[in-house]
Amino acid sequence: MVSSEIDLPADYAELLEALKTRISGARIHAQRTVNTLVIELYWSLGRDIIGRQAREGWGSGVIRRLAADLAASFPDMKGLSYRNLQYMTAMVRAWDATENVPQLVAHLPWGHIRTILDKAASAEEREWYAAAAVQYGWSRNVLLNMMMNHSMERTGTAPSNFSRQLAAPDSELAQQMAKDPYNFEFLGLSGDVAERDLENALMSRITETLRELGPGFAFVGRQVHFDVDGDDFYVDLLFFHIEQSRYVVIELKTGKFQPEFAGKLNFYVALVDDVLRRDHHNETIGILICGTKNDRSVRYSLGRSTSPMAVAAYTYDKLPPAEQQALPNEGHLVAALEWAEPDTGTIEGTD
């Protein structure tokens, strides 16, 4: 036990924090290095097996025997199963590189790679989800959730006037955050609900809400009050996007989009831009999330708006039949999570 009588130097607390930060950083670096080495090993095994299959016509029986013999030789390694050897060959075929593992793949934990191989339907999806998982440090469960909710297909699809109201680089970045539709299935709502009910549900599930909105969003407040010369106004939800350094006003409407909604959102964006925005911030943008919308009406409404805005729909229990069939039920989700459990000794630094 450390004695409390020790006369500690004045800067001891700062020194302790600095050393803790250094140790944590070294541990994370070591985890990433180990992970990269393991993925490189798996890549080389998969590449060699594919080569043997092509030259010598190896069948599944040979690979099963190989897995058994490798597991017997290295009993402390859990990643040499027949199933994992199949994933190793699938990884090499999917990313279609002959010699070295692609840099993006090398930075992914093995469980993430298997999830992408299982769920991605195209090379474009593999690249998009792999890049997003590395960039934002998604855990395997978050990655699985993003893929099951078709995040790639919805990202950047909401009708907006960003290209007219923002410079090209800002316009492209802002468009990326505007999904359509937003998937609020996690709220457990059904039937007709009021805006306040939807807002309350979103705030009670703020972690899931931020995850659905996308990386970079920080919550500022709900029903944020503004006094305009004695007139009271309340912004439904206010966020700040860290990476883009801009405020994001979100207005909620449970019914069908009406042109007057755009006028109100335009007013709120201008208000936040004037009152809260600082010189080093980028322009405030607005996103209106409504129950349903007519895209042509949206485009007319945004055409003359002076603020950068987008309009998106949301879903919770009103997905089209084809989309409902594509999404897994609870049993499928549990099975998928069990399937994605690590089958290797790899340290997954992002989990």
Side-chain angles (χ1 to χ4, degrees), residues 16 32 59 103 111 126 146 186 266 269 320 332 340:
L16 178 61
R32 290 175 177 169
Q103 185 176 13
R126 283 194 297 271
M146 292 294 184
F186 58 84
N266 184 79
V269 171
H332 291 152

Side-chain angles (χ1 to χ4, degrees), residues 206 210 213-221 238-242 246 248:
I206 186 62
L210 289 172
L213 292 178
F217 279 90
F219 176 60
V220 176
L238 184 62
F239 295 87
F240 191 82
H241 199 278
I242 305 299
R246 69 171 81 244
V248 180

Side-chain angles (χ1 to χ4, degrees), residues 162 173-174 177-178 182 210 213-222 224 226 235-251 265 268-269 272-273 276-277 281-289 308-310:
F162 294 154
L173 287 173
M177 74 170 70
Y182 286 91
L210 289 172
L213 292 178
F217 279 90
F219 176 60
V220 176
R222 60 181 294 195
V224 179
F226 292 89
V235 171
D236 283 349
L237 300 172
L238 184 62
F239 295 87
F240 191 82
H241 199 278
I242 305 299
E243 295 173 1
Q244 295 190 25
S245 188
R246 69 171 81 244
Y247 284 100
V248 180
V249 174
I250 293 185
E251 281 292 294
L265 180 60
Y268 284 149
V269 171
V272 170
D273 222 24
L276 298 181
R277 179 188 171 198
H281 293 158
N282 291 314
E283 287 183 76
T284 302
I285 69 171
I287 299 177
L288 175 70
I289 303 177
M309 303 188 303

Side-chain angles (χ1 to χ4, degrees), residues 186-187 199-213 217-221 237-239:
F186 58 84
L187 297 179
E199 179 186 322
N200 289 337
L202 286 170
M203 289 303 94
S204 68
R205 303 290 299 275
I206 186 62
T207 299
E208 292 85 350
T209 301
L210 289 172
R211 183 180 297 166
E212 173 58 20
L213 292 178
F217 279 90
F219 176 60
V220 176
L237 300 172
L238 184 62
F239 295 87

Side-chain angles (χ1 to χ4, degrees), residues 27-46:
R27 291 179 64 184
I28 293 173
H29 178 73
Q31 290 172 351
R32 290 175 177 169
T33 300
V34 169
N35 179 80
T36 299
L37 292 173
V38 169
I39 299 304
E40 289 176 350
L41 171 63
Y42 287 178
W43 182 274
S44 67
L45 294 177

Side-chain angles (χ1 to χ4, degrees), residues 127-140:
E127 291 299 315
W128 194 91
Y129 285 109
V134 171
Q135 181 178 357
Y136 302 116
W138 286 345
S139 71
R140 186 172 58 252

Side-chain angles (χ1 to χ4, degrees), residues 46-291:
R47 182 193 60 207
D48 290 350
I49 290 172
I50 289 175
R52 291 280 187 169
Q53 285 177 318
R55 292 193 303 271
E56 302 174 21
W58 277 14
S60 60
V62 176
I63 300 176
R64 286 185 184 276
R65 174 61 183 272
L66 181 64
D69 288 341
L70 287 174
S73 300
F74 302 96
D76 57 326
M77 291 185 65
K78 297 181 180 179
L80 299 175
S81 66
Y82 170 66
R83 186 176 72 178
N84 256 359
L85 291 184
Q86 288 181 307
Y87 272 117
M88 293 172 202
T89 59
M91 172 178 62
V92 176
R93 290 191 175 99
W95 273 278
D96 195 27
T98 55
E99 291 299 326
N100 298 320
V101 58
Q103 185 176 13
L104 180 62
V105 180
H107 285 86
L108 285 170
W110 182 235
H112 289 56
I113 294 174
R114 294 192 311 175
T115 298
I116 292 172
L117 291 172
D118 284 339
K119 300 299 179 184
S122 66
E124 181 185 9
E125 284 190 27
R126 283 194 297 271
E127 291 299 315
W128 194 91
Y129 285 109
V134 171
Q135 181 178 357
Y136 302 116
W138 286 345
S139 71
R140 186 172 58 252
N141 287 349
V142 170
L143 170 62
L144 181 61
N145 181 73
M146 292 294 184
M147 297 189 76
M148 287 183 167
N149 287 335
H150 308 289
S151 292
M152 186 191 81
E153 298 170 21
R154 295 182 290 117
T155 298
T157 58
S160 73
N161 63 2
F162 294 154
S163 61
R164 292 190 298 274
Q165 298 299 332
L166 299 173
D170 276 354
S171 171
E172 293 170 4
L173 287 173
Q175 190 66 52
Q176 289 176 13
M177 74 170 70
K179 295 183 180 180
D180 189 27
Y182 286 91
N183 189 343
F184 293 158
E185 293 264 321
F186 58 84
L187 297 179
L189 299 175
S190 61
D192 294 331
V193 295
E195 279 88 1
R196 188 57 58 87
D197 294 330
L198 178 59
E199 179 186 322
N200 289 337
L202 286 170
M203 289 303 94
S204 68
R205 303 290 299 275
I206 186 62
T207 299
E208 292 85 350
T209 301
L210 289 172
R211 183 180 297 166
E212 173 58 20
L213 292 178
F217 279 90
F219 176 60
V220 176
R222 60 181 294 195
Q223 292 298 311
V224 179
H225 175 243
F226 292 89
D227 183 330
V228 181
D229 293 337
D231 292 336
D232 294 316
F233 297 96
Y234 297 86
V235 171
D236 283 349
L237 300 172
L238 184 62
F239 295 87
F240 191 82
H241 199 278
I242 305 299
E243 295 173 1
Q244 295 190 25
S245 188
R246 69 171 81 244
Y247 284 100
V248 180
V249 174
I250 293 185
E251 281 292 294
L252 302 172
K253 297 294 180 182
T254 56
K256 185 176 181 179
F257 171 80
Q258 300 297 328
E260 54 265 32
F261 298 165
K264 187 175 183 180
L265 180 60
N266 184 79
F267 171 80
Y268 284 149
V269 171
L271 186 58
V272 170
D273 222 24
D274 182 60
V275 176
L276 298 181
R277 179 188 171 198
R278 299 294 179 260
D279 291 340
H280 59 279
H281 293 158
N282 291 314
E283 287 183 76
T284 302
I285 69 171
I287 299 177
L288 175 70
I289 303 177
C290 52

